Amino acid sequence: MIHREEIQHILDGYDREHITVATIGSHTALQILKGARDEGFKNLVICKKGTEEVYRQFGLADELLTVENFKQVLGKSFQEQLIERNAVLIPHGSFVEYLSPVRIENELFVPMFGNRAVLDWESDRKKEREWLERAELRLPVEFKDPADIDRLVMVKFPGAKGGRGYILASNPDEFEQKHKKLNLSDKDEFTIQEYVIGTRFYPHYFYSPLTDRLELLSMDIRYESNIDGISRLSYILRDRHPEPSFVVTGNLPVVVRESLLPRILEMGQKVIETSQELFSPGLIGPFCIETICTEDLEFIVFEISARIVAGTNLYINGSPYSQLLYDEPMSTGRRISREIKAALKEDSLDKVVY
Ligand code: AMP
């Protein structure tokens, strides 16, 4: 893991009057670029060859760098180009997936918004669970041994990207049958998790270390194929439906009933406090807790994304929540640049960048 001091050293060489907000062209890049521009920063997008047109079309990028493969970003000369431009990289879901958490931690010297120590805690399922349990969040029951399955469970395989290839089973036999079909090796690890029935909510938070304030900026529900398609035909399909998959295809805007907001804020606060104990200075900036609200109005948390999530794309012009906090359109992308601006103003960029 690259030490904080090494990044700070690079940051010391930056011209603070000419910071460039940079990101990879995918996921939430458009709102990050717009947010940077709205806050008065120069911005830059790194595009995979063939995708440049999207970023040209919207006219939001001051500079566009093209790569054949995103891994090129980790190359020495590419990183030097970014550092010359005083770039602060904004990580997002695709950014982390394309570059890989381990390679970001060990090879990416360009200063990044947030605390890169979090990558380790969110990418390792055991560590993630330890973090969330310590935050006293309720998590789905886990079954160590398939023989113990006594209710509907979801089996998650690490290689099953974006909810594709997860299986559902109601008992040990069904698990064995479906597991066999997957032809996995003995080494393939998986998690067996209680399938929680309820309403999914994905609240988008932002934590500012400068003001020690947690903000609820927005919230979404992920639209997933083919589980959401199957539910429309469930009466006709009955038990002839295909194995559900949970591949995200879009996002729907949502608000929760107001009486649930205290718990949503409390969960976010707990996540921040425990992150500060586990990997000081803890989580910085945007994050999302992936929850299911049961009929008892209890939130069960099945995952955390410790960075900007794609559901925030719904709110480039602000959300019902961000409108209460800010008298101007405040997307999560813009909120990130607002934090960088505030940090520069009080000469504490090192508090929000690692
Ligand atoms: P994940 O890869 O953990 O983000 O899960 C992908 C999708 O599967 C989620 O967006 C949910 O729709 C669904 N899901 C994950 N875990 C559970 C669970 N324990 N109970 C019910 N649905 C779940």
Side-chain angles (χ1 to χ4, degrees):
M1 172 90 127
I2 301 171
H3 286 292
R4 177 172 278 278
E5 292 70 34
E6 290 174 84
I7 303 289
Q8 296 315 322
H9 182 68
I10 291 168
L11 214 49
D12 287 343
Y14 270 23
D15 174 353
R16 312 264 163 141
E17 301 288 316
H18 296 97
I19 294 290
T20 302
V21 171
T23 196
I24 276 182
S26 183
H27 197 265
T28 38
L30 288 170
Q31 73 164 285
I32 291 170
L33 295 172
K34 174 157 172 45
R37 189 169 274 182
D38 288 345
E39 291 302 307
F41 287 110
K42 188 170 175 283
N43 68 23
L44 178 156
V45 63
I46 305 157
C47 292
K48 198 163 161 187
K49 207 169 170 190
T51 67
E52 300 95 328
E53 198 39 42
V54 177
Y55 297 92
R56 286 214 186 91
Q57 160 110 50
F58 289 100
L60 288 169
D62 294 320
E63 192 175 3
L64 204 147
L65 299 178
T66 305
V67 290
E68 294 282 342
N69 176 324
F70 282 129
K71 293 262 186 325
Q72 261 172 267
V73 174
L74 295 165
K76 189 165 176 279
S77 62
F78 199 95
Q79 294 203 43
E80 279 168 1
Q81 277 189 70
L82 293 176
I83 291 171
E84 265 168 30
R85 288 162 171 79
N86 310 298
V88 173
L89 277 171
I90 314 300
H92 52 56
S94 305
F95 180 108
V96 176
E97 192 181 318
Y98 296 144
L99 267 55
S100 108
V102 179
R103 293 195 67 181
I104 292 173
E105 282 174 10
N106 297 319
E107 298 174 43
L108 186 66
F109 283 88
V110 185
M112 248 173 41
F113 183 77
N115 179 0
R116 69 176 73 196
V118 78
L119 291 171
D120 213 20
W121 285 87
E122 83 164 348
S123 60
D124 177 326
R125 272 204 205 279
K126 281 198 189 108
K127 283 183 133 176
E128 181 189 37
R129 199 167 171 95
E130 181 190 336
W131 176 10
L132 299 176
E133 274 175 350
R134 207 161 151 151
E136 294 168 350
L137 303 185
R138 249 202 81 189
L139 310 186
V141 175
E142 271 195 15
F143 296 86
K144 295 272 170 276
D145 186 346
D148 296 335
I149 296 174
D150 63 358
R151 64 194 87 178
L152 183 63
V153 294
M154 185 175 218
V155 189
K156 297 183 175 183
F157 300 94
K161 291 244 163 64
R164 189 197 301 275
Y166 288 175
I167 56 177
L168 298 181
S170 299
N171 53 55
D173 285 345
E174 193 180 356
F175 171 85
E176 280 312 325
Q177 268 177 26
K178 289 185 175 174
H179 184 245
K180 227 185 242 162
K181 276 198 199 148
L182 292 172
N183 276 330
L184 300 170
S185 81
D186 290 345
K187 280 195 217 119
D188 284 308
E189 281 185 31
F190 51 80
T191 312
I192 304 176
Q193 202 171 80
E194 160 194 25
Y195 187 93
V196 182
I197 295 180
T199 332
R200 288 164 304 125
F201 290 110
Y202 301 75
H204 317 141
Y205 303 89
F206 188 96
Y207 173 70
S208 165
L210 303 176
T211 54
D212 186 20
R213 184 168 97 135
L214 177 73
E215 297 165 13
L216 174 67
L217 286 181
S218 48
M219 211 179 291
D220 78 299
I221 296 187
R222 292 183 190 163
Y223 210 43
E224 295 171 334
S225 192
N226 52 19
I227 184 71
D228 286 317
I230 290 172
S231 62
R232 296 180 66 196
L233 280 180
S234 56
Y235 175 73
I236 296 170
L237 291 172
R238 306 230 174 183
D239 54 1
R240 291 178 290 123
H241 61 75
E243 185 68 31
S245 58
F246 298 79
V247 178
V248 180
T249 52
N251 303 84
L252 304 170
V254 70
V255 290
V256 287
R257 41 193 285 192
E258 198 154 311
S259 57
L260 294 173
L261 283 178
R263 178 61 186 148
I264 287 192
L265 287 171
E266 185 187 29
M267 290 192 297
Q269 193 61 42
K270 283 280 199 184
V271 161
I272 289 300
E273 282 163 18
T274 38
S275 75
Q276 290 166 348
E277 290 159 24
L278 292 171
F279 50 95
S280 170
L283 209 171
I284 289 163
F287 67 103
C288 171
I289 307 178
E290 303 175 17
T291 72
I292 299 167
C293 188
T294 66
E295 62 182 342
D296 302 323
L297 301 181
E298 196 172 4
F299 286 96
I300 315 288
V301 176
F302 60 92
E303 205 159 296
I304 179 166
S305 296
R307 53 193 151 66
I308 185 168
V309 291
T312 61
N313 282 339
L314 287 162
Y315 306 109
I316 294 184
N317 247 345
S319 81
Y321 298 114
S322 74
Q323 275 157 18
L324 298 173
L325 290 167
Y326 294 92
D327 261 342
E328 57 198 321
M330 185 58 68
S331 68
T332 296
R334 184 172 185 180
R335 184 64 189 84
I336 292 170
S337 280
R338 177 69 58 95
E339 190 76 358
I340 296 173
K341 198 156 102 178
L344 284 165
K345 200 166 169 197
E346 57 180 72
D347 198 19
S348 48
L349 194 54
D350 57 327
K351 280 196 186 160
V352 299
V353 164
Y354 170 21

